[in-house]
């Protein structure tokens, strides 16, 4: 069930090719921007007044695949002693020292081989829609003042769902499901109407605003893998090496990373640039100016505005309805028909799943397949206490893999 229904493949454009498109491309070639942490930020004045240029800039940078990687770190604590001097007297004290046993990364960027999709949020989803507070537009497009501001509870619930859906690998345009059917194809179904505004409509809304400090944010979200399930399997794999027995009380930290995570276009005023620079924030905080600027942007009418209504989803995997199947069809029957069809390349359909509308085929890389490919390498890295970027080691023996099999149901 979708809460962000409108999607389109990256690189597609509503503008007809021709002289106008070429002119926009020329005008945006020299747009200045910077990478600040995990954000791409531009204060170029052209982008805050010209919708075609803004659209081209966001689509160009939004469709670039982010870096995506997995970090695995194991530590344990040891009690040590040291001599300290107090009032001229030597004393021995104990302290806890954290020892890093292994700390390595695995690059996942090459797995982002499927086309990304641009999306906009549905009207009833809490999001920043031009003001400094989240709002909805249940009754369709209206001016900024007419958009319903959501409560702090609604805001908190939406933020929790965004984090949860990312951990579960759901598309970023999904809403909390009222129930789980357990069948494939539910992520394509929706009971929501398409959003009233397209991305271009929101860009026009941003450019038309006269607010002094405004910020249009385009999220870049990697999805498709159930991070919770995969993290649990990696934890079990590490414990199976005997690491926990070798280092009682050891802790293992597993985290997925992406960079950059968003593209921001902000107004060109000097006050707006202050909020994009940690140096300027620190400087104006020292002279006690920044707290007043923050309050002014937050509460003064027409001072600040945020737009957080769109994003780009980069799938690691997705399920697509297989052509020639129908409701009630089985995997076995579909596979038999594919095998009997000349040129069907049935061997390419390694993962099929019956669901709503017929049989679904996996596109991209499944968590279980990735885990099988990297299990041996992770075991070696833990055993040998490795650090840095991990290269995959090939294991030439085939053996049952219980942990990977647990992921196959995803």
């Amino acid at each position: 069930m979708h809460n962000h229904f409108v999607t389109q493949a990256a690189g597609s454009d509503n503008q007809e090719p021709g002289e106008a498109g070429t002119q926009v491309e020329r005008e945006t070639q020299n747009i200045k921007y910077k990478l600040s942490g995990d954000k791409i930020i531009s204060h170029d004045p052209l982008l805050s007044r010209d919708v075609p240029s803004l659209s081209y800039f966001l689509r160009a940078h939004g469709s670039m695949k982010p870096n995506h990687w997995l970090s695995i770190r194991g530590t344990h604590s040891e009690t040590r002693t040291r001599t300290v001097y107090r009032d001229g007297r030597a004393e021995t004290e104990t302290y806890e020292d954290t020892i890093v046993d292994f700390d390595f990364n695995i690059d996942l960027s090459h797995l982002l081989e499927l086309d990304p999709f641009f999306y906009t949020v549905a009207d009833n989803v809490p999001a920043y829609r031009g003001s400094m507070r989240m709002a909805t537009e249940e009754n369709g497009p209206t001016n900024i003042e007419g958009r319903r501001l959501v409560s702090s509870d609604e805001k908190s619930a939406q933020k929790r769902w965004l984090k949860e859906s990312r951990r579960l690998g759901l598309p970023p345009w999904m809403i909390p499901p009222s129930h789980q059917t357990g069948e494939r194809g539910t992520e394509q179904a929706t009971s929501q109407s398409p959003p009233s505004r397209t991305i271009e409509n929101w860009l026009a809304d941003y450019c038309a605003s006269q607010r002094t400090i405004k910020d249009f944010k385009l999220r870049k979200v990697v999805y498709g893998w159930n991070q919770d399930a995969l993290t649990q399997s990696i934890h079990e794999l590490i414990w199976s090496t005997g690491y926990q027995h070798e280092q009682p009380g050891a802790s293992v930290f597993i985290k997925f990373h992406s960079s950059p995570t968003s593209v921001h276009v902000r107004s060109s005023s000097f006050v707006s640039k202050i909020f994009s620079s940690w140096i300027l924030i620190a400087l104006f905080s020292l002279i006690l100016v920044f707290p007043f600027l923050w309050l002014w942007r937050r509460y003064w009418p027409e001072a600040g505005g945020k737009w957080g209504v769109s994003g780009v989803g980069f799938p690691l995997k997705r399920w697509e309805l297989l052509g020639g199947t129908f409701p009630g069809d089985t995997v076995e029957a579909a596979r038999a028909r594919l095998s009997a069809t000349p040129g069907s390349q049935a061997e390419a359909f390694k993962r099929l799943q019956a669901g709503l509308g017929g049989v679904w085929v996996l596109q991209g890389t499944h968590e279980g397949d990735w885990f099988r490919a990297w299990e041996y390498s992770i075991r070696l890295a833990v055993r040998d206490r490795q650090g840095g970027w991990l290269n995959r080691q090939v294991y030439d023996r085939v053996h049952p893999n219980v942990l990977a099999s647990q992921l196959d149901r995803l």
Side-chain angles (χ1 to χ4, degrees), residues 98-116:
T98 299
I99 308 300
V100 178
D101 300 314
F102 52 85
D103 188 2
F104 55 88
N105 303 309
I106 301 176
D107 186 26
L108 305 173
S109 303
H110 62 285
L111 301 178
L112 299 175
E113 56 188 5
L114 300 176
D115 289 336

Side-chain angles (χ1 to χ4, degrees), residues 38 195 220 260 279 402:
D38 291 330
K220 294 165 73 82
I279 295 177
V402 176

Side-chain angles (χ1 to χ4, degrees), residues 229-257:
L230 185 53
T231 296
Q232 179 62 30
S233 293
I234 296 174
H235 269 292
E236 294 178 14
L237 171 63
I238 293 174
W239 299 140
S240 72
T241 65
Y243 170 64
Q244 191 175 25
H245 297 289
E246 295 174 9
Q247 303 293 349
S251 300
V252 174
F253 305 92
I254 301 171
K255 187 176 181 180
F256 291 85
H257 307 263

Side-chain angles (χ1 to χ4, degrees), residues 134 151-161:
M134 285 187 171
S151 66
S152 58
D153 289 343
E154 290 176 286
K155 176 182 176 180
S156 298
Q158 176 63 13
K159 288 188 173 183
R160 285 196 303 270
W161 170 246

Side-chain angles (χ1 to χ4, degrees), residues 253-330:
F253 305 92
I254 301 171
K255 187 176 181 180
F256 291 85
H257 307 263
S258 293
S259 182
T261 57
S262 57
V263 183
H264 292 256
V265 172
R266 296 173 176 172
S267 47
S268 59
S269 65
F270 177 72
V271 178
S272 179
K273 293 178 181 179
I274 292 176
F275 286 85
S276 298
S277 170
W278 289 111
I279 295 177
L280 291 178
I281 290 175
L283 177 62
F284 280 86
S285 295
L286 287 174
I287 59 176
L288 303 179
V289 172
F290 184 75
F292 293 98
L293 290 177
W294 188 93
L295 291 171
W296 175 70
R297 181 189 69 160
R298 177 68 174 81
Y299 294 107
W300 194 263
E302 300 296 325
K306 294 181 180 181
W307 283 256
V309 290
S310 59
V312 192
F314 295 85
L316 287 161
K317 80 169 194 284
R318 65 168 175 258
W319 294 89
E320 296 180 354
L321 186 62
L322 189 62
T325 63
F326 47 86
D329 199 3
T330 64

Side-chain angles (χ1 to χ4, degrees), residues 104-107 110-111 369-381 386 389-397:
F104 55 88
N105 303 309
I106 301 176
D107 186 26
H110 62 285
L111 301 178
D369 296 332
W370 178 89
F371 187 85
R372 285 186 177 88
W374 279 90
E375 177 192 9
Y376 181 63
S377 302
I378 295 174
R379 284 184 183 274
L380 289 181
Q386 293 187 26
W389 290 94
L390 191 63
N391 294 318
R392 182 184 165 215
Q393 304 294 324
V394 179
Y395 188 59
D396 57 3
R397 293 175 57 191

